[in-house]
Amino acid sequence: MGIDTLSDWMSRFGFGDYTGIDIHEESKANMPTREWKMGRYRQPWYKGDTIPVGIGQGYWTATPMQIAKATSVLVNHGQVNPPHLLQRMEQEGVQETADFSPYPPITGVDEKYWNVALEGMRLVNHGKKGTARRAFADAKYQTGGKSGTAQVFGLGEDEEYNADELAEHLRDHALYTGFAPYDDPQIVVSMVLENAGGGSSNGAPIARRIFDHMLLEKTAKEEQVQ
C-alpha cells in the first residue's frame, strides 16, 4: 500500500488532525507522511517505516477521541461527523444550538468494503474465535468491536515482553473501540486503559457494561416513566 496511500486514507478518517470536538486542549496526535519524517528527522521515508504504521505503531499515534471518530466514520459508511460535548447555549432566554454540520464525506467506496470491515468487527465480539467473544457471550443484541494493545516503551532486540516482570507504569495500555447495536448503531465507545494489558480482556467488558446500560437499563427506565 505504501505510506502515501495509507496516510491519505487515514487522514480522511480524522487521524493526524483535530476531531472538531469543543475542547481546546485536544491533540492532533500524528499521522506520519514522507514530509513529516523529513521535517522531523531529516531522513527519507523507508519502506520498513510503513510496516509498524500499518498496525498502528511506529510513528503513528492517535487519541481515544480520534479512534472514536474513526469508528463512527466506519459505522456511518463514510459520513464524517465531528464529536461534540456542547448541545446548546442559553443566554437571557435565547437559545443557540451548536453546529453539528458533518464534514465532507468519504465517497467513492463500494458498500461491500464498508460491510467487510464492519462484519469483521462483529466477529471480534460474536465470532467463535473473536477475541472479545467472552465479554459479549450472552448479550441480547449484536455489536461490533476491535481490541488492541499500545506499547509504552520499546524492547531491545533480545528482550521479551513479560508484564509480570515490569513495573506497572511500563506495562502495555489496553485499547478497545466498539459500537452497538450492530444493525442500527446508536453508540460508539472507545477507550485506552493505562497499563491494563489486553484490550479484549479488560476493555471489552467495560464496553459491554456501557452498552447494557444505554440499550437495556436506560431504555427500560424510560419506558417505565412513559
Side-chain angles (χ1 to χ4, degrees), residues 76-98:
N76 289 300
H77 292 212
Q79 180 176 322
V80 184
N81 297 310
H84 282 291
L85 294 175
L86 179 67
Q87 185 177 48
R88 68 176 181 270
M89 296 179 289
E90 296 184 12
Q91 186 174 1
E92 297 180 356
V94 179
Q95 293 188 5
E96 182 180 347
T97 304

Side-chain angles (χ1 to χ4, degrees), residues 94-153:
V94 179
Q95 293 188 5
E96 182 180 347
T97 304
D99 182 12
F100 292 104
S101 301
Y103 290 3
I106 298 174
T107 58
V109 179
D110 194 294
E111 282 293 299
K112 66 181 179 182
Y113 296 118
W114 297 113
N115 293 331
V116 164
L118 293 170
E119 174 63 10
M121 294 180 73
R122 187 188 71 80
L123 293 175
V124 168
N125 290 354
H126 303 284
K128 293 181 179 179
K129 297 182 179 180
T131 57
R133 65 188 184 281
R134 293 183 180 179
F136 293 91
D138 58 347
K140 297 180 180 180
Y141 49 87
Q142 290 278 294
T143 63
K146 182 67 184 76
S147 61
T149 304
Q151 284 183 306
V152 176
F153 76 105

Side-chain angles (χ1 to χ4, degrees), residues 29-45:
N30 185 47
M31 186 65 239
T33 62
R34 296 177 188 274
E35 295 75 19
W36 169 85
K37 188 183 178 188
M38 182 58 72
R40 177 69 174 80
Y41 294 104
R42 296 293 186 269
Q43 293 179 358
W45 188 270

Side-chain angles (χ1 to χ4, degrees), residues 4 29 48 73 96 117 140 146 157 186 222:
D4 300 323
V73 173
E96 182 180 347
K140 297 180 180 180
K146 182 67 184 76
E157 292 184 5
Q186 302 294 322
E222 290 174 348

Side-chain angles (χ1 to χ4, degrees), residues 5-213:
T5 300
L6 186 61
S7 61
D8 175 57
W9 276 94
M10 293 295 281
S11 296
R12 300 185 197 188
F13 281 80
F15 292 107
D17 200 359
Y18 297 120
T19 63
I21 193 171
D22 30 11
I23 299 177
H24 295 299
E25 298 82 3
E26 185 184 13
S27 168
K28 288 185 177 182
N30 185 47
M31 186 65 239
T33 62
R34 296 177 188 274
E35 295 75 19
W36 169 85
K37 188 183 178 188
M38 182 58 72
R40 177 69 174 80
Y41 294 104
R42 296 293 186 269
Q43 293 179 358
W45 188 270
Y46 300 109
K47 288 184 178 181
D49 295 330
T50 307
I51 297 172
V53 172
I55 59 172
Q57 296 184 6
Y59 297 125
W60 181 87
T61 60
T63 68
M65 188 56 65
Q66 287 176 333
I67 295 172
K69 180 179 179 180
T71 303
S72 173
V73 173
L74 179 61
V75 165
N76 289 300
H77 292 212
Q79 180 176 322
V80 184
N81 297 310
H84 282 291
L85 294 175
L86 179 67
Q87 185 177 48
R88 68 176 181 270
M89 296 179 289
E90 296 184 12
Q91 186 174 1
E92 297 180 356
V94 179
Q95 293 188 5
E96 182 180 347
T97 304
D99 182 12
F100 292 104
S101 301
Y103 290 3
I106 298 174
T107 58
V109 179
D110 194 294
E111 282 293 299
K112 66 181 179 182
Y113 296 118
W114 297 113
N115 293 331
V116 164
L118 293 170
E119 174 63 10
M121 294 180 73
R122 187 188 71 80
L123 293 175
V124 168
N125 290 354
H126 303 284
K128 293 181 179 179
K129 297 182 179 180
T131 57
R133 65 188 184 281
R134 293 183 180 179
F136 293 91
D138 58 347
K140 297 180 180 180
Y141 49 87
Q142 290 278 294
T143 63
K146 182 67 184 76
S147 61
T149 304
Q151 284 183 306
V152 176
F153 76 105
L155 292 169
E157 292 184 5
D158 299 325
E159 294 181 290
E160 185 173 337
Y161 179 83
N162 188 332
D164 295 333
E165 297 178 358
L166 293 174
E168 184 176 349
H169 72 280
L170 294 177
R171 295 174 185 172
D172 291 342
H173 296 330
L175 276 67
Y176 184 85
T177 187
F179 63 92
Y182 182 81
D183 293 327
D184 183 24
Q186 302 294 322
I187 308 163
V188 167
V189 172
S190 299
M191 67 188 77
V192 177
L193 306 177
E194 294 183 351
N195 311 116
S200 297
S201 55
N202 296 289
I206 294 176
R208 168 66 190 279
R209 291 198 290 272
I210 294 173
F211 291 152
D212 279 353
H213 172 71

